[in-house]
Amino acid sequence: MTKGAEQNTQAAPLLDRSDERVKHAEGIGGSVRAFWDRVRSGDLGSLPVVVGLAIIWTVFQSLNPVFLAPNNLVNLLFDCSTVGVIALGIVCILIVGEIDLSVGSVSGFASALVGVLWVNQGWPVSIAILAALLFGALIGALYAVLFNRFGMPSFVATLAGLLSILGLQLYLLGSTGSINLPYEAPLVNFGQLLVMPDPVSYALAALPGIVMFVLGYRTAARRREAGLSPQPLSSLLLRPVVVTVVLEFIVYYLNLDRGIPWMFGLFVGLVVVMNYALTRTKWGRQMLAVGGNREAARRAGINVRFIYMTAFVLCSSLAAAGGILSAARLASASQQAGTGDVNLNAIAAAVIGGTSLFGGRGSAYSALLGIIVIQSIASGLTLLDLSSSLRYMITGAVLAIAVIVDSLARRSRASHGRA
């Protein structure tokens, strides 16, 4: 072997280690640069709502140390679940560029229907719940027919539905005005008391990180098989580890009190399923395509009418589900159910969480983040014993800021060719 060959052989391990260090630096540094490039181009994701939530929590905690106490946060999660499920339906309808103003009335009527059929008529609670969900689906199908067949704007159709269904709710409850649900019933316990056992909550908190790592590892393996450079292992582990540590700490902190409510677990489960449907299925891609450009989607062969039908049906069905959870939470069905700020809070939660009012962009996690923001404001002001008028004004200001950020992000994406 020549002297030059020996030198090359000795230098090879050093070059390999140097390449590994470069890949390591490019892995973490590249991820940071890619994130910053996305932000600069207007692809903000959940960043604004996370920053806003951090500010809200910091302010309220400084004003009242009880705000971030485990007991208050557990109550906040119970309260998030009811309107959060309704907001998840709003995400579906906003993605296709439409609106549903009747979700509050649908939720109120669904709770009243469960109360009448279960308590007054003696139906099994499971059948009463199915009847309420079926009612929500039928209302959504009616809106879709009015929109697809007769060209009635969703604003007008759902506004008419708001008034009509509210009248049905008042008629159904009659002169009594409210129905108390059996306090010892499993449905009421689910809405007020039931929390996850500690081992279950810790296991569920570890699940997202495991799924993220497995998916990332499979992607890296496919890139390696295709002859492309895979993501470095350090970068591949970074995000799952951070997410797992954060979630496990949250679970530990909440378990210092009662723990994670099962009702909130149901809400998060629905969010995960909806996120998978929107991001990993043909139907989800078609939803985003129709919301982005209806005519282009139609010319691409997408059944636009069917997409609108599914969006309206999902929105009303989830509104009915939210009404049932609300009845479980309050242990009653009354004429006030679904009225007040339920309708606007559900819409505001979806928008504040990051779903665009202009259609074509949104995430199921918008409902989760947005409702946490709204309930955090409500909880903080309640602890400070301040007027509810401030809650409306602050929520309205946050909603306006969210829409402004969304509008500016759209302009930035357009200027960078990513609209």
Side-chain angles (χ1 to χ4, degrees), residues 201-218 235-248 272 365:
S201 59
Y202 283 120
L204 292 177
L207 190 59
I210 295 173
V211 172
M212 290 170 60
F213 176 76
V214 170
L215 293 178
Y217 184 83
R218 290 176 59 186
S235 179
L236 194 64
L237 284 170
L238 179 62
R239 189 179 176 190
V241 169
V242 171
V243 169
T244 301
V245 170
V246 171
L247 291 180
E248 292 289 352
V272 172
Y365 292 105

Side-chain angles (χ1 to χ4, degrees), residues 73-95:
L73 293 181
V74 171
N75 289 329
L76 189 147
L77 295 185
F78 269 110
D79 294 334
C80 285
S81 306
T82 56
V83 182
V85 172
I86 303 175
L88 185 59
I90 291 293
V91 168
C92 295
I93 203 66
L94 288 181
I95 283 178

Side-chain angles (χ1 to χ4, degrees), residues 71 76 159 208 251 335 356 389:
N71 181 55
L76 189 147
L159 181 60
V251 170
Q335 294 178 348
S356 176
S389 60

Side-chain angles (χ1 to χ4, degrees), residues 253-271:
Y253 188 69
L254 294 176
N255 282 339
L256 295 177
D257 190 66
R258 287 179 289 169
I260 309 293
W262 273 113
M263 187 161 67
F264 184 74
L266 173 63
F267 171 41
V268 174
L270 291 174
V271 169

